[in-house]
Each structure stands twice: as C-alpha cells, then as structure tokens.
C-alpha cells in the first residue's frame, strides 16, 4: 500500500439518498475512518462523521431546511458547507474533497482548508464578566469570525470554561477526572484571551467597567455581562453540616463525587432536573438515593401529569425512592445524619444534595433594577446600554416563540446568547431569535425540550408517555410554543427547526397528525 497516497472513503451514490445523508467507512487499514456524505441538487459533499460537541453520529441526525442537526443535543450545521449554525458545538464541521467516480462518491481524507477571516470590528477591546456558556460562545464566535482585538475574560472560578451539563450526569456515575468536562484544555491560549481569575464586586454598564475585589478596575470598548446564577440554599437548620452540598459548579461536582465514594445513603432535596439527574447517576453508582420533594409528581407543572408520572415511575423502577414532604431540618452532629420532614419522617443520610434551584447573579450590576424574575431587562437585541450586552441566566429578554419576556436557565440558550452578542459586537444588527432548547439525561433516557411555555393551556400528546416514547406539544394562546419528547427525534427536531423559523403549524393541524418533518 502506498503510504503517501491520501486515504479515501468510497460509497455508492445509490446509498446516499437525494436530499439526505449516509455514513461511509474506510476499508482495511483505514477501517476506523468515517465520513458523512450529504447529497442534494448541488451534488455530494463530505464532512466529519461525528458532532464536534460530544461525538454523536451525525448520520443519525436530521436534515431540516438546509441544516443538519446533531441527533443528541441539536447542534446545527449548514448542509452547504458544514458551517456552524447553532450550538452546543462551537466549531464548524471539517469538510473533505469529494469526486464522483463511476457510480461512487469518493472522499479524500485531507481536510479542505478553512478560509482565514478578518473582521473589521467597530470595537477594539472586549471585556466579558463571567466564564460560563455565554462567555465561551462569545469568545469562540469572535475569533471564528476573525476578530483580532483583545479579549479579557473575568471570573472567580479557577477552571477553564467547561461543559456544565455534564456535572449532574455521567460525571457522578463513577469517579471522573475534572478535565473531562473542559471545553478545551487551555481555552485562554487557544483563543488568545487574557484570563483574569478574580471576584467582580461592581459592574458599571455606563462606564463599561468592572471593579475587582483586589482593587483593580477593568474596562473595554464592548462589555458582555454573563455572570450566571448561584445555587439557592434555603435556610434549613443544619444546612452547614458536613455532607450537605449543592451542585452548580465544577468544584461542587468534584466534591460531590468524592463524597459519594464514602457515602451509602443520599437524600436529594428537590425533584428538578439537577436533582433527578444526580439521583439517577448516583443510583447507578450503587448508592441508596431518596428524593424529597414538595410535589407528588415531579415536572407536572412543566410537562403535565402524564409525562411527570411516567418519569417518576421510571426512576422508581431503577431504585430511586420518592418521598413527598417539606424539610423541617437537616440533622446531625458535625456531619449530616438525616433529613427530617415537617410531617415527622426521618430520612437517614450521610450525604444530602440540595437541588432548590438557582438565583441570577445580578446584585453587582450598578444602576439596573432586576425584574420580578430576578433578571436584567433587555430588548430583543440583548442590549443593556451602548456597547453593553447581557446574556445567559441573568437576561430577561423578549422570547420570540412565546411572545413573553423570559429568563431561561438553559446552557444552550446561554451559548446562543453569547453567539448573538459576539456578532453584535462585530456590527450585526437585529433581534435575537433563537429557539430555546435543553436536554436532560434522565438515567438512560434523553428528554428533549424546545421552546418556552409558561402557563400552557393544554397539551397535545402523541405516543405513550408510560413507555417513555412520546412527543408532547404545549399550547398557549392557541399556538404550539414548546414541545417535550423522548424517543421521537425526527418530529421533535422538525418542531424545533420550525419554531426557530416561526413556522410551527396551528395546534389543530398538529392534533390532526400534521407531518412536521415534511414541512421543513
């Protein structure tokens, strides 16, 4: 075999549907290689076969209106050239040259060069307060679009930016190195960022400046405020005992995982996403887990009784114990021993995880009054002041799909905000119009949710929630503004795409069985 000859992957044209895709794999020594062939009226193109976010096989994804969606977490790429359209991926797909030879498409495994970009930005320096999803997406977008100016990233966490969604999932199922959560081993160097590890004490939007606890003041031509949220810890008696924890940061996750090595009985206070994800994966680790919640049916207010009850049955079937009640106190001497409820129950525990929600970190922003949700009100462009933007958990913004002002704590939405702000810093105008989306690993089941449906009026339910094979559409003001799904990826992805384009069909058409995938 000629070692100097570029490796190639061949696939019969007939195996690549027009308007569709197929994975091609190498043979012989190249058997571990794979590419994704995409075919349409413009010809055949070839891209890397796995999503750059977490490696999902893109052949199992969906093509909707010129976009290829990752089957797991709905990163979206342009079918035309592999360009990044939506996070959680933060980079485009690698593209490979393709030629047609007889009845085969042949991809040469030498990546096509990426054209260098240089943005003529209206700002010279960018200051970002926060190091979470919005901040990381803003940085990567600025550099991807060719911004060459200085970027300063300020935050109190000592870690490089990491994938927060991993913390309550597989990270807890077994001892896992913290490095496994990092977006990049050296994010600051890779993106030419000045990283300032410090506590911000005051942010002045008018002056585009941030004061630090060590006495320094930093300024920028453009300012992004993306301070995120902190874990809420109710004023329970005993909350300061050893073994009582929250799960919001990577340091929290490392401490919780280490404590799980020594624990046998865990009480999770709260049956939200963090609580139930952690309960599922700590159970997989062999711990006895009890979830204490005020609600008899978790998620009933968000997803409806049928979906909430099905999720509860699923977790109970995997060994999680559910108790309905409220905390009277956390008992113990030095270390936690039990959680006692208002109705007199005593739940033994040597580890307690409080999952009581999060509160936006807005107190250090000067001259801006938070709204009733605790967020900072901004317009549809996410702008707070001239060359000042707000993104992520702290942004109270007009959400296009529902038509209401929303403050949404979704990791991917924070990335979408950060991407939008980066482009605005480079001179783009217009409103943020991204469709909110999040996923939740409920044990071995992935739940997808797209849109925003506060106070939904009714649910259109298709499939069987009890079997965890369904899609539910949430109707508000006679519009389907959100959907929740397990096991219905084609329909859900089509809904998410249509929602982003403002083309979701009327509820009566959905109820009558409209083919959403056929509308994209």
């Amino acid at each position: 075999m000629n070692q100097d000859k570029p490796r190639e992957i061949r696939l019969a044209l007939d195996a690549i549907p027009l308007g569709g895709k197929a994975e091609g794999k190498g043979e012989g020594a190249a058997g571990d290689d794979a590419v994704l062939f995409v075919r349409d009226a413009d010809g055949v193109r070839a891209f890397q076969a796995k999503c750059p976010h977490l490696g999902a096989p893109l052949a199992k994804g969906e093509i909707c209106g010129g976009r290829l969606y990752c089957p797991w977490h709905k990163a979206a790429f342009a079918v035309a050239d592999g360009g990044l359209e939506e996070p959680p991926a933060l980079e485009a797909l690698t593209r490979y040259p393709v030629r047609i030879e007889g009845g085969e498409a042949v991809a040469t495994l030498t990546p096509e060069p990426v054209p260098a970009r240089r943005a003529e930005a209206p700002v010279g320096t960018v200051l970002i307060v926060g190091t979470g999803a919005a901040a990381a997406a803003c940085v990567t977008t600025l550099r991807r679009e060719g911004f060459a100016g200085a970027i300063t990233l300020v935050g109190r966490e000592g870690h490089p930016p990491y994938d927060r969604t991993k913390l309550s999932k597989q990270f807890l199922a077994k001892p896992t190195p913290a490095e496994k959560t990092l977006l990049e081993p050296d994010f600051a160097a890779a993106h030419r960022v000045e990283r300032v590890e410090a506590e911000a004490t005051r942010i002045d939007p008018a002056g585009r400046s941030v004061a630090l606890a060590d006495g320094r003041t930093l300024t920028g031509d453009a300012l992004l405020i993306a301070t995120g949220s902190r874990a809420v810890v109710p004023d329970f008696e005993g909350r300061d005992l050893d073994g009582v924890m929250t799960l919001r940061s990577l340091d929290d996750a490392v401490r919780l995982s280490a404590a799980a090595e020594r624990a046998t009985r865990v009480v999770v206070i709260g049956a939200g996403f963090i609580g139930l994800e952690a309960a599922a994966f700590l159970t997989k680790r062999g711990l006895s887990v009890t979830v204490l919640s005020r609600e008899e049916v978790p998620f009933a207010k968000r997803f409806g009784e049928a979906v909430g009850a099905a999720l509860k049955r699923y977790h109970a079937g995997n060994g999680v114990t559910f108790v309905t009640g409220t905390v009277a106190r956390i008992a113990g001497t030095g270390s936690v021993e039990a959680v006692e409820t208002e109705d007199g129950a005593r739940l033994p525990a040597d580890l307690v995880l409080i999952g009581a929600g999060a509160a936006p970190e807005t107190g250090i922003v000067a001259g801006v009054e938070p709204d009733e949700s605790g967020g900072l009100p901004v317009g549809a462009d996410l702008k707070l002041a001239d060359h000042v933007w707000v993104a992520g958990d702290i942004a109270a913004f007009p959400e296009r799909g529902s038509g209401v002002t929303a403050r949404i704590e979704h990791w991917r939405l924070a990335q979408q905000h950060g991407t939008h702000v980066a482009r605005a810093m480079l001179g783009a105008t217009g409103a943020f119009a991204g469709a909110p989306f999040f996923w939740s690993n409920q044990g071995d089941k992935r739940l997808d949710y797209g849109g925003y449906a506060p106070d939904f009026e009714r649910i259109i339910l298709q499939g069987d929630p009890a079997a965890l094979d369904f899609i539910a559409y949430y109707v508000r003001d006679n519009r389907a503004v959100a959907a929740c799904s397990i096991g219905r990826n084609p329909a859900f992805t089509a809904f998410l795409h249509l929602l982003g384009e403002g083309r979701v069909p009327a509820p009566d058409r959905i109820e009558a069985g409209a083919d959403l995938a056929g509308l994209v």
Side-chain angles (χ1 to χ4, degrees):
M1 181 177 181
N2 185 350
Q3 297 297 321
D4 296 326
K5 183 179 179 180
R7 291 173 297 165
E8 295 179 341
I9 291 180
R10 296 171 174 267
L11 190 64
L13 281 173
D14 290 347
I16 313 169
L18 186 62
K21 62 199 179 315
E23 182 176 280
K25 294 186 177 181
E27 298 179 355
D32 291 335
D33 294 326
V35 299
L36 183 78
F37 289 100
V38 176
R39 184 183 180 195
D40 57 22
D42 295 324
V44 179
R45 293 171 293 285
F47 305 104
Q48 67 187 80
K50 294 184 177 180
C51 179
H53 173 224
L54 288 181
L58 293 173
K60 294 184 178 180
E62 305 295 330
I63 292 178
C64 299
R67 285 183 170 185
L68 169 64
Y69 285 88
C70 167
W72 292 354
H73 308 123
K74 307 303 176 282
F77 308 92
V79 171
D81 60 7
L84 179 64
E85 299 274 317
E86 292 281 9
L90 295 176
E91 57 189 88
L93 296 179
T94 299
R95 185 173 177 180
Y96 300 102
V98 178
R99 69 181 187 275
I100 305 302
E101 196 172 275
E104 293 182 317
V106 184
T108 303
L109 299 185
T110 302
E112 292 189 353
V114 179
R117 294 188 180 186
R118 174 127 187 136
E120 297 299 326
V123 297
T125 61
V126 172
L127 176 62
I128 302 174
V129 186
T131 58
C138 184
V139 168
T140 56
T141 304
L142 285 170
R143 293 307 190 207
R144 192 171 62 246
E145 297 292 327
F147 177 69
I151 303 175
T152 302
L153 197 61
V154 180
R156 59 177 173 263
E157 288 196 71
H159 305 284
Y162 54 87
D163 187 335
R164 191 182 303 274
T165 66
K166 293 182 178 180
L167 302 184
S168 57
K169 301 179 175 65
Q170 285 85 353
F171 187 89
L172 296 178
K174 61 182 179 179
T176 305
E179 293 74 23
K180 292 287 188 181
T181 69
L182 301 183
L183 298 181
E184 296 180 61
D186 195 340
F187 183 90
H191 298 284
R192 308 186 310 282
V193 171
E194 180 185 358
R195 177 70 171 88
V196 178
E197 185 183 337
E199 181 82 26
T201 57
R202 187 176 187 273
I203 299 172
D204 178 17
R208 294 196 291 276
S209 66
V210 55
L212 306 180
D214 61 13
R216 287 179 291 170
T217 298
L218 305 177
T219 61
D221 298 330
L223 171 64
L224 170 59
I225 306 172
T227 47
S229 298
R230 66 184 183 280
V232 170
V233 181
D235 191 22
F236 301 137
E237 179 186 344
R239 67 177 187 171
D240 296 325
L241 291 169
D242 288 344
V244 178
M245 301 186 176
T246 58
L247 182 54
R248 185 69 191 170
S249 67
L250 178 53
D251 287 336
D252 289 342
V254 169
R255 284 192 293 268
L256 179 60
S257 184
E261 280 290 278
R262 306 181 298 272
T264 58
R265 296 175 298 187
V266 182
V267 171
V268 177
I269 299 174
F273 291 107
I274 296 295
L276 285 190
E277 287 183 351
F281 288 101
L282 290 172
T283 299
K284 281 178 175 286
R285 195 164 177 165
L287 281 72
S288 173
V289 180
T290 298
V291 174
L292 174 63
S293 172
R294 294 170 182 251
E295 297 82 26
E296 176 69 28
V297 178
F299 302 132
K301 290 183 180 178
R302 170 166 282 193
F303 299 146
E305 291 278 342
V307 174
L311 289 169
K312 182 177 180 179
R313 283 193 300 272
Y314 171 73
H315 286 293
N318 286 327
V320 177
T321 298
F322 287 86
V323 175
T324 303
T326 56
V327 177
R329 71 178 189 121
I330 302 173
T333 304
S335 298
V336 64
E337 297 172 6
V339 175
E340 297 177 355
T341 69
E342 293 285 359
D343 59 6
R346 181 179 172 89
L347 309 175
D350 40 28
L351 181 58
V352 171
L353 174 61
I354 297 177
E361 295 269 28
T362 57
I364 61 173
V365 182
V368 184
E369 189 70 28
D371 71 0
E372 62 275 8
S373 74
L376 301 181
V378 292
D381 57 2
L382 305 183
K383 211 174 220 185
L384 186 66
D386 185 40
H387 285 95
V388 179
W389 292 264
V390 172
D393 291 5
I394 64 171
F397 70 101
E399 198 280 310
R400 188 182 74 166
S402 63
V404 303
T405 297
R407 189 185 71 78
I408 301 174
E409 297 171 0
H410 295 176
W411 192 73
R412 180 181 180 268
L413 183 71
Q415 292 179 309
Q416 291 173 297
H417 280 180
T419 300
H420 172 89
V421 170
R423 290 173 177 156
M425 289 177 175
L426 298 178
T429 58
F432 173 75
F437 164 76
F438 72 85
W439 72 93
S440 175
N441 285 72
Q442 298 287 308
D444 294 329
K445 300 291 184 179
R446 191 192 75 245
L447 178 146
D448 292 329
Y449 183 91
Y452 184 63
D455 305 320
F456 60 84
E457 294 154 5
R458 68 186 182 99
I459 302 172
I460 301 170
L461 189 56
Q462 297 174 351
D464 184 2
L468 296 182
D469 178 19
F470 69 91
I471 184 167
Y473 301 94
Y474 299 90
V475 178
R476 188 176 187 272
D477 296 333
N478 201 34
R479 290 187 299 144
V481 295
C484 170
S485 174
I486 295 177
R488 299 291 179 104
N489 196 54
F492 178 85
T493 306
F495 173 84
L496 187 67
H497 183 82
L498 293 168
L499 187 66
E501 294 190 341
R503 296 196 296 118
V504 175
D508 59 343
R509 289 186 60 198
I510 294 175
E511 207 157 18
D515 176 17
L516 299 190
L519 298 175
V520 298

